Amino acid sequence: MSWPQTQQSEDLYDQITILVGSAIRLLSGDAGVFVVSNEAFDPQSNTEYTLYRLNESALMPLLLHIRKIKQPDSLCPLIVDSLPPTLVKQLGVCDEDAELLRDANGAKEQPVLECCSLFVSDHAGLIGVLHYLRPLGSSSCFERSDESEGALRLFIAHFAAGLRSALKWQSLIKEQRRLAAIFQQSAEGILTVDTALRIIDFNPAMERLTGWRENEVLGRFYYEVLCPKDRLGNELGKQDSLILQAFAGQTVVNREMVISARDGQRFDVSVAASCVRSSKGEPTSGILTVRDITRERLQEEQRSTFISVISHELQTPIAIIKGYASTLARADATLDKESLRSRLRAVEEEADRLNKLVGNLLYASRIQAGGLQMELMPLDLSDLVQKVTHRLQVKSPGVTVKVNLPPNLPTVMADRDRIEEVLENLLDNAVKYSPDKPVVTVVCSATGDEVIVSVSDTGMGISLREQEQIFDRFYRIGNGKTPSLQGAGLGLYICRAIVEAHGGRIWVESALHQGSTFLFSLPRLEKAHLPMVVF
Ligand code: ADP
């Protein structure tokens, strides 16, 4: 007889496989399977069965056959049954001596294999059944005499003890791997400490958060590494340790504090501390979970800035419109034609302002929903720049507007109305953020791939740090604490969305108190990615 080679996996030599294989060999078997009982099965840790020199494909037919015959139990722990030759073939066991399968006349096939089923249990109950195959008529040392029954029961007890501990071990290993994966992959920083608060583990999220590598902090006091402070800036030393509070039995969750990264950068975190205890209830180690809440803080700040900016931006025009409308509506109002016209013009301007704000808010929500549609067509930027700058000059005669357009500026592929909005926004800002005598310069230039438009002013300028943020939604320098300058922090956000939807870029070059240059690029007609037309 020859037995198929089962695929060797990393688990082949695990404890259970070794135990099952040794048991089968001791019982004079050649191959088999141990099927874990429902009671002993742990879905998190155990596989339902362990094969020994038997193919996966043989398992089903074998188990189906076994189900039809008598099952072993605690009273009769070993059942032996000969296997039909058809099943032997199905199991993939080669009959090297095919003659053995036939009777003397060579007609009828004879059984050559038997299957034994061993009931494996201990004081805690059934662990499983070991089914193994052996040549018909073989017997093990546990079956050869009447006294062997005691030996068989002793063997079962040993086998069961080995299996219990192997199953437990398997369960512990898998549990350990799962916990290690959680620890390694967690998006939250996790560190563990001993009872003296010295770091034992420091996960990758903690490394990313603090800039410290695990091997640099192991054995150090965790509060010396994180330098925690409360939100008022008071240092939180050992005596304030949240882990000590957890050791003392307190529930420590969602505690906010400020910690330091390796480079000294400080950031807001929300912390939870817990304690691992021995079977006697004494603390053995502490766990600190750290979540970076800087972004949440920023969003909260943005939300409150948004509310204050929007309410201010709405209140001002409404108050002006209401004031003028009340004056005009008074029965005793006697206004000459010019005063009447100037008040009506003011009402119109404020209504325009409201309209623009509401339009911008709608625009911003459409950008967020990803619904910005462009109608791209060939566009002559020189023509558009001249039109928009001329309009600015008429509207604001006090502003010096300079335009520098090269001859034969290449055509771009763009949505004319949207690019007009971008230009208007940049020009408005250039005027708005230039407190004295604004000088605004618009320059267009072309590279091999794109046309670049720049809008420069000689105004207040923008610090390097804030240059990164001004394109964010609702961002205003100084949180819009200069109420004299109207705005909701949406203009540049919208400009960036429009330019990027064209496949272009927008950026700023600026120096504080010296002025700013906003630049944006649009792809040249021949370089634009046009939608493919299929005929
Ligand atoms: P806002 O409606 O507040 O003007 P923007 O999105 O257009 O909103 O601009 C965002 C912030 O960028 C402004 O609040 C302002 O602080 C700053 N900023 C924009 N343009 C300029 C500029 N040309 N010079 C100086 N600061 C500017």
Side-chain angles (χ1 to χ4, degrees):
M1 271 312 135
S2 82
W3 299 88
Q5 281 298 305
T6 49
Q7 245 188 344
Q8 297 204 344
S9 71
E10 133 186 27
D11 288 340
L12 185 66
Y13 299 109
D14 72 16
Q15 269 187 311
I16 297 185
T17 314
I18 292 169
L19 272 170
V20 168
S22 322
I24 290 176
R25 284 303 187 189
L26 272 169
L27 292 161
S28 299
D30 289 303
V33 57
F34 175 71
V35 182
V36 180
S37 75
N38 285 343
E39 298 88 78
F41 180 62
D42 168 5
Q44 301 223 23
S45 331
N46 303 336
T47 42
E48 284 172 75
Y49 53 84
T50 303
L51 291 167
Y52 175 71
R53 299 182 76 203
L54 204 63
N55 272 332
E56 284 274 347
S57 55
L59 188 61
M60 258 309 139
L62 180 66
L63 292 182
L64 281 174
H65 170 77
I66 287 165
R67 205 175 290 166
K68 288 185 223 146
I69 59 172
K70 188 173 176 326
Q71 301 298 310
D73 54 30
S74 54
L75 293 176
C76 179
L78 181 65
I79 298 280
V80 182
D81 174 64
S82 56
L83 290 182
T86 43
L87 179 61
V88 174
K89 282 183 182 161
Q90 254 184 305
L91 298 182
V93 181
C94 309
D95 47 331
E96 281 159 356
D97 194 357
E99 292 307 307
L100 282 175
L101 289 168
R102 304 190 175 277
D103 66 11
N105 303 324
K108 201 163 157 251
E109 288 178 326
Q110 295 296 313
V112 288
L113 272 186
E114 57 189 20
C115 174
C116 310
S117 300
L118 185 73
F119 188 84
V120 187
S121 63
D122 61 7
H123 62 280
L126 177 63
I127 302 176
V129 180
L130 177 69
H131 305 286
Y132 57 95
L133 308 178
R134 65 185 185 187
L136 190 67
S138 336
S139 72
S140 67
C141 56
F142 305 115
E143 300 157 68
R144 282 178 199 146
S145 67
D146 284 350
E147 299 95 66
S148 306
E149 197 191 325
L152 181 65
R153 289 199 183 272
L154 197 61
F155 169 75
I156 292 174
H158 275 287
F159 185 39
L163 280 172
R164 277 273 182 228
S165 96
L167 288 171
K168 184 92 191 146
W169 182 250
Q170 196 184 52
S171 160
L172 283 175
I173 298 264
K174 292 202 174 159
E175 188 72 16
Q176 198 184 31
R177 284 196 192 139
R178 205 171 47 242
L179 287 177
I182 294 172
F183 183 77
Q184 291 295 321
Q185 307 302 329
S186 165
E188 297 197 353
I190 305 173
L191 65 78
T192 63
V193 293
D194 61 13
T195 46
L197 306 185
R198 281 181 299 240
I199 296 174
I200 312 171
D201 300 296
F202 203 73
N203 79 339
M206 207 66 201
E207 292 185 333
R208 286 193 296 275
L209 209 60
T210 61
W212 289 104
R213 312 289 308 170
E214 187 182 40
N215 58 358
E216 295 168 325
V217 297
L218 291 184
R220 290 179 58 189
F221 294 112
Y222 88 91
Y223 47 86
E224 286 182 6
V225 173
L226 301 184
C227 310
K229 288 190 176 166
D230 66 16
R231 300 201 66 198
L232 300 172
N234 304 314
E235 264 179 42
L236 301 170
K238 183 173 180 178
Q239 68 288 353
D240 312 294
S241 165
L242 295 181
I243 297 181
L244 287 184
Q245 292 176 21
F247 283 172
Q250 292 180 30
T251 309
V252 184
V253 285
N254 291 336
R255 300 284 183 90
E256 292 190 8
M257 58 172 67
V258 180
I259 63 170
S260 277
R262 183 185 198 161
D263 61 4
Q265 199 198 332
R266 307 196 61 81
F267 46 89
D268 294 303
V269 290
S270 170
V271 172
S274 50
C275 169
V276 182
R277 294 182 189 278
S278 68
S279 52
K280 289 183 191 153
E282 286 153 2
T284 54
S285 55
I287 305 171
L288 199 73
T289 318
V290 179
R291 186 163 56 88
D292 184 359
I293 53 168
T294 320
R295 221 184 154 78
E296 286 164 38
R297 284 266 159 283
L298 205 73
Q299 280 171 350
E300 262 169 42
E301 248 169 55
Q302 274 187 346
R303 252 196 304 276
S304 67
T305 309
F306 166 71
I307 292 169
S308 75
V309 167
I310 293 299
S311 35
H312 172 261
E313 286 298 299
L314 286 172
Q315 258 169 2
T316 316
I318 289 172
I320 295 173
I321 291 172
K322 167 111 177 90
Y324 282 131
S326 312
T327 319
L328 295 173
R330 272 167 55 177
D332 58 346
T334 49
L335 290 169
D336 59 49
K337 234 177 169 178
E338 190 40 45
S339 317
L340 185 65
R341 186 165 302 127
S342 84
R343 281 169 175 74
L344 285 175
R345 211 177 295 126
V347 169
E348 191 188 6
E349 270 170 23
E350 294 309 316
D352 282 347
R353 198 172 135 187
L354 272 180
N355 196 26
K356 178 151 191 192
L357 176 65
V358 173
N360 275 351
L361 284 171
L362 286 175
Y363 217 120
S365 70
R366 262 172 40 214
I367 293 170
Q368 254 215 313
L372 207 56
Q373 295 274 318
M374 297 291 144
E375 281 181 32
L376 300 184
M377 300 213 192
L379 172 68
D380 176 4
L381 269 175
S382 302
D383 179 52
L384 183 66
V385 168
Q386 268 159 349
K387 182 183 145 196
V388 178
T389 47
H390 177 69
R391 203 162 51 213
L392 172 67
Q393 195 67 91
V394 172
K395 193 174 88 181
S396 319
V399 176
T400 308
V401 184
K402 298 179 185 169
V403 180
N404 185 346
L405 296 169
N408 306 324
L409 189 67
T411 307
V412 292
M413 202 55 191
D415 181 322
R416 186 185 172 95
D417 291 347
R418 308 281 201 216
I419 298 302
E420 190 168 336
E421 276 176 60
V422 173
L423 268 172
E424 268 180 2
N425 257 318
L426 297 181
L427 288 170
D428 279 354
N429 280 352
V431 174
K432 190 161 68 173
Y433 298 106
S434 300
D436 314 308
K437 292 206 182 109
V439 178
V440 181
T441 311
V442 183
V443 179
C444 291
S445 60
T447 68
D449 294 334
E450 49 192 16
V451 172
I452 297 172
V453 182
S454 71
V455 178
S456 308
D457 62 59
T458 50
M460 53 179 65
I462 304 162
S463 72
L464 206 59
R465 193 169 53 83
E466 288 183 294
Q467 287 174 25
E468 285 177 14
Q469 289 159 296
I470 51 174
F471 294 95
D472 291 349
R473 205 165 45 124
F474 301 125
Y475 190 84
R476 306 200 73 217
I477 293 177
N479 275 344
K481 281 170 197 145
T482 348
S484 56
L485 297 175
Q486 297 155 358
L490 285 173
L492 290 178
Y493 170 71
I494 292 173
C495 289
R496 185 179 60 182
I498 293 175
V499 171
E500 288 181 353
H502 281 81
R505 304 165 292 134
I506 185 165
W507 68 104
V508 63
E509 291 164 3
S510 181
L512 260 186
H513 314 302
Q514 289 177 32
S516 313
T517 299
F518 283 85
L519 303 105
F520 70 90
S521 69
L522 292 171
R524 287 172 59 154
L525 178 63
E526 62 278 18
K527 302 284 176 183
H529 296 290
L530 296 176
M532 202 190 293
V533 183
V534 182
F535 294 98

